[in-house]
Amino acid sequence: MTVVSEAMPSAATMRAREATVRRFALTDTIFLAATRLSAILVLLILGGVAISLFAGSWQALSTFGLSFLTTESWNPVTENFGALAPIYGTIVTAAVAILIAVPIGIGIAIFLTELCPRPLRRPIGIAVELLAGIPSIIYGIWGLFVFAPFLQTTVQPFFINLFHDVPGLSSLFAGPPYGIGLLTSALILAIMVLPFITSITKDVFDTVPAVLKESAYGIGCTTWEVTRRVVIPYTRVGIMGGVMLGLGRALGETMAVTFVIGNAHRISASLFAPGTTISATIANEFTEADGDLYTSSLVALGLILFVITFLILAAARYMLMRIDARTGA
């Protein structure tokens, strides 16, 4: 009887356990409510931004209708506005920037995680990440006074002479060499988004279990085969996240693009021609908008940029879901 009584917990111990359970239950309830509230708050903010943009752009959308999306003209004097040129410039500059930055960023991440000598990994990684801390206006000033003159005197004349007799490419690289233009903006954007893509890709590469890579090396795989068949498939979702982050930065960048794109409301097949983007147009003209229709048209540009970003991110998420489903199958 004495042994049984000693094994059974006392009433005080039972009450202490019950108090601990109730405290943990209360903590879990508060944590669940806080996280749920945070998620709902994000949706409310997103919905509020969309509603405010739609309300502010309603006058322009009701006045011009669908022609607002298909018209190139932008004339504040006659209050004739069309968003086609800024949309074209935004998509072209962001697409070219991503095409340049993604291979370079992934290549740097592979070098840092697989090939770089260990003493150099940290200095190079820090140097790449410091690029993300440079203000965009500094990139714009550097692009206008250093990079654009270099392109004007060397790179652009070279490509103009190289492709002047090649069908298709002769229009894509047509002169005159202004220095500023769509290609200059795309190159500046590529430099700006490179550290985001590189940093995120390097971090997700580091999450690959060492046993997977060691097993691949053990059966005779080369570094390229390990990277292509083990590392990249294992981290494709993280890589896509880095690319989408870079694309979002490229689509919404304002000051650096404003300095070097030329701010011309026209569409040209040449990457050397001046153009404009949605964010550059808003930054240049919002303080000068002296009419309700003018202001509404600029807000409508913001709404279009919001929709473009949302559709691109949704398409990327859908593509990842398809990849995951196919892999699971």
Side-chain angles (χ1 to χ4, degrees), residues 41-123:
L41 184 61
V42 170
L43 295 178
L44 291 176
I45 293 174
L46 185 64
V49 170
I51 292 173
S52 62
L53 288 175
F54 184 78
S57 61
W58 175 249
Q59 183 177 358
L61 297 178
S62 60
T63 301
F64 301 110
L66 290 178
S67 63
F68 185 75
L69 301 175
T70 59
T71 303
E72 181 181 349
S73 175
W74 187 273
N75 193 335
V77 177
T78 61
E79 292 192 327
N80 183 22
F81 301 104
L84 186 59
I87 293 174
Y88 173 81
T90 300
I91 295 176
V92 169
T93 54
V96 174
I98 291 299
L99 288 176
I100 296 173
V102 169
I104 297 176
I106 295 177
I108 295 174
I110 294 173
F111 173 75
L112 291 176
T113 56
E114 303 294 334
L115 302 173
C116 182
R118 189 169 296 276
L120 296 179
R121 288 184 182 180
R122 188 172 181 82

Side-chain angles (χ1 to χ4, degrees), residues 88-90 92-93 96 180-187 260-261 268-277:
Y88 173 81
T90 300
V92 169
T93 54
V96 174
I180 59 175
L182 296 174
L183 182 61
T184 307
S185 301
L187 293 174
V260 297
I261 198 170
S268 175
S270 175
L271 293 177
F272 297 156
T276 188
T277 64

Side-chain angles (χ1 to χ4, degrees), residues 94 122 151 157 301:
R122 188 172 181 82
L151 292 177
L301 288 180

